[in-house]
Amino acid sequence: MIRIIFLTLLIFFSGCNLKSPAPYVTIKNVAVGKDINITKADRRLIRRFREYWQYRINGDYEHSYLYELPYQKYLIQLEKYKMEHGGKYKAKKIVLRNIRYDGGCAIIDRIVVIDDKNFTKKDKWCFIKDNWYHKFYQSIVPPKTIEEAQYQ
């Protein structure tokens, strides 16, 4: 609890720039499932989701890092982020399957295609100030549940 308060105060007093300008990326490998009913409110989140995952597929971790939650960027600097995430992502395609909202956050179900095999995964995105940010999961212990493993 103290850690959450400290992080909140750190973000508030740091005056961090919550905008994440990134150059336009051509979306080739991230799609939205045809059976999804997209509302006007979903469009911004979907655009951010598609850009983020295209950067990850391209191996452009400097730009995907801009989409991560601001407080997480205080905990994990870009070099450590690139070391932990860079070079590992082997997906050929990602398909957004569903969006569920939970307060100021959204849970996105996605299909990841690797070597012609489909894997079900989840993302958590939170709306902060005026934009959607990805929550990356990092753990040194194995996931406790199947659902927790889907965020890995």
Side-chain angles (χ1 to χ4, degrees), residues 69-147:
L69 281 170
Y71 80 85
Q72 287 185 299
K73 290 188 265 186
Y74 283 102
L75 300 175
I76 297 180
Q77 300 299 311
L78 176 60
E79 291 308 312
K80 185 175 180 185
Y81 176 82
K82 287 191 322 191
M83 189 170 57
E84 291 179 3
H85 298 286
K88 293 181 185 177
Y89 208 75
K90 305 293 184 203
K92 289 190 331 185
K93 184 174 183 178
I94 294 177
V95 179
L96 186 148
R97 300 295 297 151
N98 189 35
I99 301 172
R100 291 183 318 278
Y101 292 96
D102 183 14
C105 293
I107 306 299
I108 296 180
D109 297 323
R110 60 188 165 95
I111 301 295
V112 178
V113 180
I114 301 174
D115 297 329
D116 299 322
K117 295 179 184 162
N118 294 348
F119 299 91
T120 302
K121 297 287 184 180
K122 293 183 182 189
D123 277 353
K124 187 170 192 174
W125 289 76
C126 296
F127 193 80
I128 298 178
K129 193 173 180 183
D130 64 351
N131 223 338
W132 288 99
Y133 293 91
H134 179 256
K135 161 122 177 59
F136 64 86
Y137 285 82
Q138 173 188 11
S139 178
I140 58 173
V141 296
K144 296 175 189 148
T145 65
I146 292 173
E147 183 175 37

Side-chain angles (χ1 to χ4, degrees), residues 6-23:
F6 173 76
L7 290 173
T8 302
L9 290 173
L10 180 66
I11 291 169
F12 180 77
F13 288 112
S14 70
C16 70
N17 182 359
L18 293 179
K19 303 235 185 248
S20 56

